[in-house]
Amino acid sequence: MTTDYDRRKDRERQRQADKSREGRDIGPIPKCSNSKLVAKLKKSLRLFCETCLPGRFKLKWSKDHLKALDKIERAVIAGDLFALAMPRGSGKTTIISAAVMWAILHGYRRYAVLIGSDRDAAQRLLAGIKVELETNDKLLELYPEAVHPIRTLEGKANKATGQLLDGKRTYIEWKGPRIVFATVPNSPASGAIIETYGITGRIRGAQFTRADGELARPDFFMLDDPQTDRSARSLSQVTRRLNSISGTVLGLAGPGESISGFATVTVIEPGDVADQLLDRDKYPDWQGERFKLVYAWPTHPSAVDHWERYQTFRSEGMKLGRGLADCTAYYADHRTEMDYGSHVAWDERFDKKKGELSALQHAYNLRFASPLTFEAEYQNQPVPPDLDVEVLPVEILEKKVSGHPRRELPQMCDLVTAFIDVQGNLLYWMVCAWESATFSGQVLDYGAWPQQTSQYFTLRGASKTLSRVYPRKGLEARIRQGLWDLIDHLSAARYPTRGRERSERVDLIGIDAAWGPSTETIQKVAIEHPRAAWLVPCFGRGLGPSDAPMAEWKPKEGERKGDMWILRPSNGSKHLVVDSNAVKSFTNQRLNVAIGDPGSLCLFKPQLTTEHRMVAEQWRAEQPKTVSIAGGRSGEVWTLPPSKPDNHLWDTLCGCAVLASLRGAKLAELQTRAATRKQQRRPKRTLKI
C-alpha cells in the first residue's frame, strides 16, 4: 500500500523536477527591439558591420573594403566563389567573422564551415565569433531568437545539454570545434551550424543530423589564409592544398549540390596557393582579385630623393631612440612633393599615436622596415628571391631525369659514392654514380632510414623513426644502431648495368659527423664497423669570402688536399673536412648543366611523375648569395630561410659529390687543362721521314 511518506516523496521529487525544468527552460524569448532595422541589415553586410560591430569598424571604409563587402554578399546570397587578397592589417579576419554571423543570423546559410591553414587557426576564428555572440548586446536586441539561448548558458558549455524552451530541448551545442544554434520556432538561425577544419585535415564527409532528423551538409564555407610560410615554399604542399580546395572543399555540399564561399588569402611566394587561386586563367570560377596597400607611388621628380632622405632621418631616429619625430618633421616640410601622384588604398590607415601624418607615410615606414615582407603581405606581389647564382626551380629539377630506372648504373659511370646525413629521428641517405673523367653523375637511389612507406615525407612528420624502430634505446644507441644497419644495407646493395653482367658496389660511404649531440658516436661507428675502410666521417666548414679558400690551405703531414676538402688522419682512422659552401656551389653547377654535356648531374627515371618532388624541394631549400668583402674577394654563401625547410637530401647529394672528388673525379675541362700543361712541359721531338 502507498503510504503518506511515499506520496510526500513523490511530490517532492516532482517539485524538484519541475524546479529543474524551470531553471533549464529559457522561455519566453525576448522580442526583437527593431524589426525594421533587421530588415535593412539583411540587405547590407556593410550596414550590419557598422550597426552591430561599431567597436571593430571604427575607421572609414576604403573603396577596396566596399568592393570586398560586395563580393562577400554575392558569395553568401548568390552562391559565387571569390578569392580576395587583402593587405595585412586590413581587418579581413574581422570582416570574415562579421560575414559568417550575418549569413547565419539572417538565414542565408544554414551550415557554414570555417577553414584555416590548420584547425587551430580556424578555431581561433570561431572563438572570436563566440565572444561576439556572448557579449554583444546589440546582437541580443536585434536577434534574440539566436542570441538569447546562448546568453543563458553564461559561458558554461555543459548547460547546453539540458537547455529547454517551453519544455522542449533546444539541442544547442557550444563546445569544441562546432557550435549549433538553438532550435527556436520562427528563428532564421534555428539549428544553424558553424564548424571548423584545417585545410589538410579530414574535411571530407562533413555532415550533421539536426533535431528533426534532417541530414545537413555544408552550404557555405569561408577559407581564411589556407597556407603557412613553410607550406607556401613547398610545391607538394601547394599542390595538396589546391587539390583539397578544388576537390574536397567544393564537394562538401554533397553529390549534385553546389556550395558557395570565399577565400581571404595572402600571397607569400610566386606560385603558392594564394597566387594560383587569384589567377583567373587557372581558376576562373574563383573570380580572384588582389588588393594593395599602395596602387601608385609618388611621381614628382624630387620624390625619390626626398624619400631617401626621409629614410636616413628615420634610421638615425630609430638608432637614437627618437622614433619618427625627425623624419615626420621632414615629411611635413616636403609633403607636397613627397605625396604627388601617389594613390593609397586606405587613407585612414596610419598610426597617429606614433605621429604619422598619412597613409602614404605609414606605407613607406612598413616598406623601409622590411621591403620583401611589404611586397608580399601588403602588396600581394611577392618578389622572387634575388639570387646572384643560377638555380633551377623545383619544377625543372624533378624532371631532370635520365633514361635509367632506379638503381641501374649508367654504362660510362665507373664510380659509386653514398652519403648519410644524420638527424635525431631519421638518417637520410643517397647513392650516386659518377663518370670520373668528366664528373657527370646520376642519382641511383635515395631515401631515409628507417625506410618510409610514403614517397613524400618530412623529418617532422615521418611515420617511422629511429625511436620507434629501436625502442628502449637512448639517442646515442639509436643513432649507433641505425647507422650500423644502414651501412650494412648500403654496402650490400649492387647496381647493375643494362645489357651487361657487370654490377658495382658503393666505393665510399660518407657520414655527416657534425651532428652535435652524436659526433663521438658517429666517429666510433666509422672505426668499429666491419666496412670501416669504406667509411669517411665528414665535417663541413662554412667558409665565406673573409676566410682563406681551402685550396690555399697548406696540408700538414699525412693530409691529402683537394680544392674543396682536406682528408686528415684521426686516431688511426681518417676524417674529411669539407668547404660546404664551395661544394654546394660546385654541385649546383652540375645541376645546371644540361643532360648529355660533360659534368651534368641528374636523377634516375621515376615511375610516377611526382616521385622526385621531395628531393627536388630539398635541393632547393637553401638559397645562395654572393657576398663580397673589401679587397675584391667574393664568394657564394648558402643559407636556409627562416622557415627551416628540410634540406637533408641536398646535403647527401653534396656529400656524394665531394666523395667523388676524393676518389679522383674531375671535370672534363680540368682534365683537358692538365693534359695541355703536361704536353707543354714535354721536350719537342723532330719527326724523321
Side-chain angles (χ1 to χ4, degrees):
M1 295 179 65
T2 303
T3 65
D4 290 341
Y5 171 77
D6 291 332
R7 285 192 290 272
R8 286 197 304 270
K9 190 175 180 180
D10 288 340
R11 285 197 300 270
E12 180 62 22
R13 186 184 300 112
Q14 185 63 41
R15 189 181 71 81
Q16 292 292 340
D18 292 342
K19 184 178 180 181
S20 175
R21 261 195 309 274
E22 290 174 4
R24 292 183 288 123
D25 200 303
I26 63 172
I29 299 289
K31 292 184 178 180
C32 172
S33 64
N34 191 336
S35 58
K36 291 183 178 180
L37 176 59
V38 172
K40 292 180 180 179
L41 298 181
K42 185 175 181 179
K43 298 178 180 180
S44 172
L45 174 57
R46 173 185 175 180
L47 185 60
F48 176 82
C49 293
E50 295 172 349
T51 303
C52 298
L53 302 167
R56 295 202 175 195
F57 299 97
K58 298 178 181 179
L59 303 177
K60 293 181 180 179
W61 300 103
S62 69
K63 290 183 179 180
D64 285 350
H65 281 127
L66 298 179
K67 186 182 294 186
L69 291 173
D70 177 65
K71 289 181 179 296
I72 293 172
E73 281 185 8
R74 288 168 54 189
V76 171
I77 299 173
D80 292 336
L81 295 174
F82 291 102
L84 307 176
M86 302 183 72
R88 182 203 280 185
S90 297
K92 63 178 180 179
T93 301
T94 307
I95 293 174
I96 287 168
S97 301
V100 172
M101 287 188 285
W102 179 73
I104 292 292
L105 292 174
H106 293 104
Y108 285 122
R109 297 294 164 178
R110 302 273 290 142
Y111 193 159
V113 176
L114 309 181
I115 305 172
S117 59
D118 54 41
R119 195 162 194 170
D120 288 342
Q123 287 187 7
R124 286 192 293 272
L125 192 61
L126 181 63
I129 293 174
K130 292 174 74 172
V131 168
E132 288 294 339
L133 293 171
E134 287 180 317
T135 63
N136 191 317
D137 291 336
K138 196 65 177 179
L139 292 177
L140 178 61
E141 293 175 15
L142 298 175
Y143 309 96
E145 302 93 344
V147 180
H148 176 71
I150 295 170
R151 288 295 186 90
T152 60
L153 296 177
E154 298 177 328
K156 300 175 183 178
N158 59 338
K159 293 178 67 175
T161 304
Q163 189 181 86
L164 304 174
L165 175 61
D166 298 332
K168 297 181 180 179
R169 287 185 60 188
T170 64
Y171 297 97
I172 187 173
E173 287 189 21
W174 199 252
K175 185 178 180 180
R178 176 178 62 206
I179 62 176
V180 180
F181 286 77
T183 300
V184 177
N186 302 319
S187 170
S190 178
I193 305 155
I194 303 178
E195 195 162 13
T196 59
Y197 288 95
I199 186 63
T200 58
R202 299 180 63 180
I203 308 176
R204 184 178 284 107
Q207 58 186 30
F208 182 79
T209 303
R210 291 195 172 94
D212 59 1
E214 176 194 359
L215 181 63
R217 300 198 65 165
D219 59 1
F220 178 68
F221 70 88
M222 191 288 302
L223 192 61
D224 183 37
D225 276 338
Q227 62 183 353
T228 63
D229 288 352
R230 186 183 182 92
S231 70
R233 296 182 176 92
S234 168
L235 181 60
S236 64
Q237 284 291 316
V238 169
T239 302
R240 179 184 177 188
R241 290 167 192 246
L242 284 171
N243 289 340
S244 179
I245 293 169
S246 300
T248 307
V249 174
L250 296 186
L252 283 173
E257 301 292 332
S258 61
I259 190 171
S260 68
F262 59 93
T264 56
V265 298
T266 300
V267 184
I268 300 173
E269 293 282 332
D272 66 7
V273 173
D275 196 31
Q276 295 196 52
L277 276 185
L278 295 167
D279 189 334
R280 294 199 180 190
D281 291 330
K282 291 183 178 180
Y283 293 90
D285 291 345
W286 278 90
Q287 302 180 52
E289 186 154 359
R290 300 172 194 253
F291 297 139
K292 301 179 181 181
L293 190 59
V294 179
Y295 285 99
W297 296 99
T299 58
H300 193 278
S302 64
V304 173
D305 292 336
H306 280 309
W307 282 109
E308 286 180 355
R309 294 191 189 99
Y310 175 93
Q311 184 179 14
T312 301
F313 283 121
R314 180 182 179 277
S315 299
E316 291 299 320
M318 292 298 179
K319 291 177 184 178
L320 298 174
R322 292 175 52 81
L324 302 178
D326 296 339
C327 60
T328 299
Y330 182 84
Y331 174 59
D333 292 340
H334 304 85
R335 183 170 177 176
T336 302
E337 296 90 340
M338 295 173 75
D339 285 0
Y340 185 83
S342 64
H343 176 205
V344 181
W346 193 9
D347 292 333
E348 300 293 322
R349 181 171 179 163
F350 61 96
D351 195 336
K352 296 179 181 179
K353 293 181 180 179
K354 291 184 178 180
E356 291 179 337
L357 303 179
S358 72
L360 181 64
Q361 182 189 8
H362 177 69
Y364 267 106
N365 285 333
L366 292 171
R367 190 185 192 188
F368 290 144
S370 181
L372 295 180
T373 300
F374 181 83
E375 294 299 329
E377 299 188 13
Y378 294 95
Q379 296 294 89
N380 283 297
Q381 291 182 327
V383 179
D386 184 16
L387 303 178
D388 303 315
V389 183
E390 181 183 1
V391 292
L392 298 180
V394 169
E395 296 85 349
I396 294 179
L397 277 180
E398 67 175 334
K399 296 175 183 177
K400 191 184 180 189
V401 299
S402 70
H404 298 279
R406 194 174 203 137
R407 288 185 282 274
E408 182 179 274
L409 188 72
Q411 292 186 3
M412 298 302 293
C413 291
D414 55 354
L415 181 61
V416 180
T417 60
F419 196 85
I420 302 170
D421 183 70
V422 179
Q423 299 297 318
N425 287 329
L426 293 177
L427 305 176
Y428 286 85
W429 58 271
M430 184 172 288
V431 180
C432 295
W434 306 93
E435 184 181 344
S436 58
T438 64
F439 226 121
S440 298
Q442 179 190 301
V443 176
L444 297 178
D445 203 358
Y446 61 84
W449 190 272
Q451 295 180 354
Q452 304 297 304
T453 56
S454 174
Q455 284 187 348
Y456 190 101
F457 55 89
T458 62
L459 176 61
R460 181 179 298 179
S463 58
K464 295 174 66 176
T465 61
L466 294 174
S467 59
R468 293 181 181 177
V469 175
Y470 306 111
R472 297 181 297 279
K473 290 181 182 290
L475 175 63
E476 301 305 321
R478 292 198 302 267
I479 295 291
R480 183 183 189 281
Q481 190 63 55
L483 280 173
W484 204 277
D485 293 345
L486 178 54
I487 291 168
D488 287 343
H489 172 76
L490 295 175
S491 302
R494 286 188 172 274
Y495 302 94
T497 304
R498 186 185 304 177
R500 296 186 182 182
E501 296 182 359
R502 169 198 173 202
S503 65
E504 297 290 343
R505 289 185 175 183
V506 173
D507 293 276
L508 281 180
I509 301 176
I511 310 173
D512 179 11
W515 198 70
S518 302
T519 294
E520 186 175 347
T521 298
I522 296 169
Q523 289 179 302
K524 285 182 178 179
V525 170
I527 295 173
E528 297 171 2
H529 195 279
R531 300 288 185 179
W534 296 9
L535 305 179
V536 184
C538 299
F539 295 86
R541 295 281 300 274
L543 301 179
S546 60
D547 302 302
M550 195 166 281
E552 298 178 3
W553 291 13
K554 293 182 179 180
K556 299 178 182 178
E557 184 177 353
E559 293 181 347
R560 283 180 54 202
K561 185 175 77 69
D563 290 339
M564 304 177 291
W565 52 266
I566 287 183
L567 186 66
R568 288 175 171 168
S570 176
N571 299 325
S573 181
K574 72 278 184 184
H575 68 262
L576 199 66
V577 179
V578 179
D579 183 346
S580 57
N581 282 321
V583 171
K584 290 173 182 178
S585 294
F586 176 83
T587 307
N588 181 63
Q589 291 169 4
R590 307 283 67 74
L591 292 173
N592 290 339
V593 176
I595 295 178
D597 288 338
S600 172
L601 179 57
C602 64
L603 288 153
F604 57 82
K605 182 180 179 181
Q607 292 183 332
L608 300 173
T609 56
T610 59
E611 184 173 351
H612 292 318
R613 183 157 296 171
M614 178 183 70
V615 69
E617 286 184 3
Q618 294 203 23
W619 284 0
R620 284 287 76 90
E622 295 187 26
Q623 298 176 354
K625 185 71 175 177
T626 300
V627 178
S628 301
I629 61 172
R633 178 180 288 178
S634 63
E636 294 173 11
V637 177
W638 291 76
T639 58
L640 270 176
S643 57
K644 302 294 182 184
D646 287 345
N647 66 333
H648 318 296
L649 290 174
W650 172 236
D651 288 339
T652 60
L653 179 67
C654 295
C656 287
V658 78
L659 291 180
S661 175
L662 179 64
R663 289 282 289 161
K666 291 184 180 296
L667 290 174
E669 59 184 48
L670 298 179
Q671 300 273 23
T672 302
R673 292 174 188 172
T676 301
R677 287 195 297 269
K678 186 175 181 181
Q679 182 68 33
Q680 290 174 344
R681 288 196 297 267
R682 291 179 180 175
K684 293 183 179 181
R685 296 182 180 179
T686 303
L687 181 62
K688 295 183 179 180
I689 300 177

